[in-house]
Amino acid sequence: LVEETLMPLSVPSMSYDTVEKGSGVVMHTIGDSLCATYKVDETLLRGWGQVIGSYLDDKYITVDNTLAESGMTANRFFTTGGVNGGIKELIASYNPGDYLLVQLGTNDSNNFTAANKGFTKEHFRFYMDQFVVSAREKGVIPVFVTAPERLSSGTDVKTDGVNYDVN
């Protein structure tokens, strides 16, 4: 019996500096309702962008979740922006060594809204590429966070207040 090991065709030669204490590194989070910040005195909802900072030492890195917003789409972020801004405000806030975490796509798949009419996967890919290009130009490290699946089939049946039978 011969064991074979799958080897990569190449090994990326990327390395990142360790984040130093007091360096002012910021983790910028861009996303929809799953990432957004909610008022703790008004709801039990919490977005991941709102709570991720509690797992990090703010002496090394801080989280800026001000551009994450419920209902956000890539199209809206790049065209009109949200309440606190869009791509222009994001790029203006970049500093070398910062991180950019992007979680979009769930609302972009909804072609039933007027804002997304005619929006295609090619448009979405273009916007994702622009996140990477703009981040790298400023020395920011882009990271994509996987968007969850969207229940959008007209045949899906809500069985109670939380669960669906997906057909």
Side-chain angles (χ1 to χ4, degrees):
L1 185 67
V2 177
E3 287 188 32
E4 293 186 30
T5 304
L6 184 60
M7 300 298 292
L9 297 175
S10 66
V11 178
S13 60
M14 294 171 44
S15 65
Y16 299 103
D17 295 331
T18 303
V19 175
E20 298 295 327
K21 191 174 186 176
S23 63
V25 171
V26 176
M27 177 186 293
H28 306 273
T29 55
I30 305 301
D32 54 26
S33 60
L34 299 173
C35 179
T37 297
Y38 296 90
K39 294 180 181 178
V40 296
D41 57 337
E42 293 180 12
T43 181
L44 295 175
L45 291 174
R46 304 290 181 271
W48 65 263
Q50 180 176 3
V51 299
I52 195 170
S54 65
Y55 296 96
L56 305 170
D57 187 335
D58 62 4
K59 293 177 191 77
Y60 294 87
I61 188 166
T62 58
V63 177
D64 179 359
N65 196 45
T66 57
L67 296 178
E69 188 175 310
S70 184
M72 184 58 71
T73 66
N75 189 31
R76 184 167 150 228
F77 192 80
F78 277 85
T79 54
T80 62
V83 172
N84 294 317
I87 190 65
K88 290 177 184 175
E89 290 76 13
L90 176 64
I91 293 171
S93 68
Y94 282 159
N95 288 301
D98 285 355
Y99 290 82
L100 169 65
L101 278 66
V102 178
Q103 180 260 298
L104 291 169
T106 301
N107 296 320
D108 291 284
S109 66
N110 185 357
N111 279 322
F112 303 109
T113 63
N116 273 4
K117 206 66 164 167
F119 189 75
T120 66
K121 63 183 178 182
E122 289 77 18
H123 292 113
F124 183 76
R125 181 176 177 154
F126 173 78
Y127 287 140
M128 295 303 104
D129 288 344
Q130 294 307 301
F131 276 122
V132 172
V133 169
S134 66
R136 288 184 175 165
E137 283 178 349
K138 298 284 190 170
V140 173
I141 302 160
V143 177
F144 289 107
V145 178
T146 303
E149 179 180 12
R150 180 181 186 89
L151 291 173
S152 59
S153 172
T155 60
D156 294 345
V157 178
K158 194 169 192 176
T159 57
D160 55 31
V162 177
N163 300 303
Y164 285 83
D165 280 339
V166 180
N167 298 314

